[in-house]
Amino acid sequence: MLTEIVIQNFVIAKNISIGLKNGLNVFTGETGAGKTLLMNAILFGLGHSIPKEAMGEETTRPYVRLTFSKVPLGVFQKIQEAGYDYEEDDSVVLERTFSHQGKNRSRINGQMSTLQFFKEIGYDLIDFHGQRETGSLLYPKKQLEYLDAFIGDNATALVKKIQSLRNQLLKVIGQRVSFQEKEKEMQQEEELLQFQTQEIESAQIQPQEWESLQEERSQLENHSELIAEIQNALRYLTEEDEYQESANTLVQKSIKALASISAYSKNASSNLQTLETVNSILKDSSHELHQELVTLETNYDPKKLEQVLDRIDVLQKLRSRYGSSYEEIKEAYSSKKKRLEEIQNQTHNISTLLKEEKQLLDELSKHCIQLHNIRMEASNKLATEIENNLHQLSMPKAVFSIQFSTQEALENDPLFATFDAKKVKVDTSGIDQISFHFQSNAGLPMMPINKIASGGELSRIMLAIKATLKQNDQKNIVYIFDEIDTGINGVTGNKVGMKLKTISNSSQTLCITHLPQIASYSDSHYFIEKSSDHETTIASVHELHPHERVKEIARMIGGDINSPTALEHAKEILLHASKSN
């Protein structure tokens, strides 16, 4: 429950402290006394935005503190898990300070909080109903929220599942569309990579092949010159005639000459060994040259040069496209092969994503239909209970119903559910679009409430909804009703007061009212007033004692608070309320 409200520097609320009690807490006061200011302060203390002009002078720092006790376990655990300190008595303190420079400060149990988390906690602790919320009753989305709140955990779980599936689908669809948009480009790249890898594979290049081919081409292009010069070399080495001796013969003669004197000269002996080595080299060279000459003469094929040149041309194309060496070409091949596999995998990914998309769509349809069926079943019960509550609020002929519809998905909409053999649109709450229909009296048509309901009727419909939901939802510990009495008279006000009293029996309720009939049902009655010393105006709030309460009820009736008749009437109203409890 909300045990204390502290308001400082909030326009004319300079320093207000309100100690609240369980049950129905009613606030009354003359027009302009500060009732709207009180509601704005509470809303600000819950994290809502308030216009700067409603916050007072720029030199002040408006401050609101809301203290709660007996906080629901779920809220208490949420605060603990977020790392906030907690009081041993399980109380929670929400504080908010306003800055005209935009640096508002929000605290939970004395610790700084993000505004988003602060508002979440406020929403969990207080269910606020004012004119703005009554207007929201006209919106189908809000009506659907009321239906789901009535259903409870089953609807909440299915809505979360649908939202999760939608998010997964949007992600998969995004990936699939991205792949498909690049598909043509990737197809062209794939064709090029296939050609390039096949070109390198088919060439079957070998290490050092380029160098070997260059050498072979050189030999083939200079074949005749090679044979002629080898023959000349062999002739100089081994052949002789009457005019000239061969190199071999001359070396052998030199060896013979030095051998005859080597015993007498170290120099001759040393050179003898050198010449013997030279003689051996000459013999080896002669043999190798002879073998080379035989090979050149025997194996020469005029077509071989053409084959070598063709092979060189193949390798030259690879070198110009992929690298100037065997290693660079092989590296280019590996890189292109890897990229080709990536593209082929992406093509496979599109097929996989389409399959996953189909599975998610089927699962989404299943959960949407399941939620629709639960809502359909619960809608009749909710409509009946709201209708019964309306009968108790001086609307005995009122009829209430909930109508369902779906919106057909666009032809190219990838996000849809299949319902009754049709593709229907799916939003974050499923496929259902509902409308609250209302008939105030017999003979009138059933129509959406935004078409026919008056302000007073809307207030009572909202109260009927709140009363119905309170029987099914114990999450919020405090109800606040601002101007619930809009557009209703005293007789109906009495019924509204009774209904508020019923709600307050299970949950603390705060209410601002202009009707004495509603105020008479309060467990605690607070009076809002303002005073002025010609320079400043200050608002104040205090709880009324029993005799003060009688006078305030008399004032609200419109009588003279000093008139015995007005005071007696006020006592009668209070007595009637006490007997109705």
Side-chain angles (χ1 to χ4, degrees), residues 8 16 49 134 151 310 320-321 364 385 397 411 417 423 441 444 470 482 504 561:
Q8 296 174 352
I16 292 177
S49 299
T134 302
I151 296 169
D310 287 344
S320 65
R321 294 171 181 170
L364 180 64
E385 292 190 20
K397 302 296 183 181
E411 185 176 350
K423 291 182 178 180
N441 290 291
L444 296 177
K470 189 58 194 173
D482 179 21
S504 71
I561 62 172

Side-chain angles (χ1 to χ4, degrees), residues 402-415:
I402 301 174
Q403 304 297 319
F404 281 76
S405 64
T406 58
Q407 182 179 348
E408 190 171 351
L410 298 176
E411 185 176 350
N412 59 346
D413 191 347
L415 195 62

Side-chain angles (χ1 to χ4, degrees), residues 271-531:
N271 282 287
L272 174 62
Q273 293 177 1
T274 300
L275 286 173
E276 287 176 343
T277 300
V278 170
N279 186 50
S280 176
I281 291 172
L282 287 174
K283 287 181 179 179
D284 290 341
S285 296
S286 298
H287 177 74
E288 290 176 5
L289 288 171
H290 180 74
Q291 291 295 113
E292 177 71 9
L293 182 62
V294 171
T295 300
L296 288 171
E297 290 176 339
T298 304
N299 296 336
Y300 177 69
D301 182 357
K303 295 181 180 179
K304 181 65 174 177
L305 177 59
E306 183 179 350
Q307 295 172 355
V308 169
L309 292 175
D310 287 344
R311 181 61 176 172
I312 288 175
D313 183 57
V314 169
L315 295 189
Q316 181 58 42
K317 288 179 181 177
L318 295 181
R319 284 162 59 88
S320 65
R321 294 171 181 170
Y322 311 116
S324 59
S325 67
Y326 170 83
E327 289 74 18
E328 290 178 0
I329 294 172
K330 294 299 287 185
E331 184 178 348
Y333 171 79
S334 298
S335 175
K336 293 178 183 299
K337 191 72 174 177
K338 181 179 179 181
R339 175 58 182 160
L340 179 60
E341 290 172 354
E342 289 176 356
I343 292 176
Q344 289 171 339
N345 286 337
Q346 287 180 359
T347 302
H348 174 70
N349 284 341
I350 293 176
S351 176
T352 302
L353 288 170
L354 285 169
K355 183 178 180 181
E356 185 178 354
E357 188 176 332
K358 173 66 167 56
Q359 291 173 342
L360 287 171
L361 282 171
D362 290 344
E363 192 171 354
L364 180 64
S365 296
K366 182 183 75 174
H367 284 85
C368 283
I369 292 171
Q370 185 179 353
L371 179 58
H372 168 78
N373 292 336
I374 290 174
R375 284 170 171 167
M376 284 288 290
E377 182 178 353
S379 66
N380 294 325
K381 184 180 178 183
L382 174 60
T384 299
E385 292 190 20
I386 292 174
E387 193 173 291
N388 290 337
N389 279 313
L390 287 172
H391 294 166
Q392 296 170 23
L393 293 170
S394 296
M395 301 178 74
K397 302 296 183 181
V399 179
F400 193 89
S401 69
I402 301 174
Q403 304 297 319
F404 281 76
S405 64
T406 58
Q407 182 179 348
E408 190 171 351
L410 298 176
E411 185 176 350
N412 59 346
D413 191 347
L415 195 62
F416 61 88
T418 303
F419 178 70
D420 285 345
K422 295 187 301 183
K423 291 182 178 180
V424 296
K425 187 176 180 179
V426 180
D427 61 19
T428 54
S429 58
I431 61 173
D432 296 310
Q433 296 182 346
I434 71 168
S435 175
F436 286 175
H437 279 54
F438 174 70
Q439 180 189 60
S440 58
N441 290 291
L444 296 177
M446 286 287 292
M447 294 185 68
I449 58 175
N450 63 327
K451 300 290 185 182
I452 58 170
S454 64
E457 288 171 337
L458 279 176
S459 295
R460 278 178 280 174
I461 291 172
M462 177 60 81
L463 183 56
I465 290 172
K466 294 290 186 180
T468 302
L469 294 179
K470 189 58 194 173
Q471 299 168 18
N472 294 272
D473 180 15
Q474 297 296 323
K475 181 188 71 171
N476 298 308
I477 63 170
V478 182
Y479 269 5
I480 297 180
F481 292 93
D482 179 21
E483 299 185 13
I484 191 66
D485 50 15
T486 299
I488 61 177
N489 57 27
V491 175
T492 303
N494 186 65
K495 299 292 183 67
V496 170
M498 292 176 64
K499 186 59 65 177
L500 288 170
K501 181 63 178 176
T502 301
I503 293 174
S504 71
N505 288 334
S506 59
S507 181
Q508 182 192 36
T509 302
L510 280 64
C511 175
I512 285 184
T513 183
H514 302 89
L515 290 178
Q517 291 81 3
I518 293 178
S520 66
Y521 283 90
S522 66
D523 295 296
S524 302
H525 190 154
Y526 300 84
F527 183 64
I528 304 173
E529 61 181 335
K530 63 181 179 181
S531 58

Side-chain angles (χ1 to χ4, degrees), residues 45 86 101 104 130 136 140 218 223 240 394 418 454 456 483 543 574:
Y86 59 93
Q101 286 71 44
N104 299 343
S136 71
S218 179
H223 181 262
E240 55 186 55
S394 296
T418 303
S454 64
E483 299 185 13
E543 185 178 0
L574 289 168

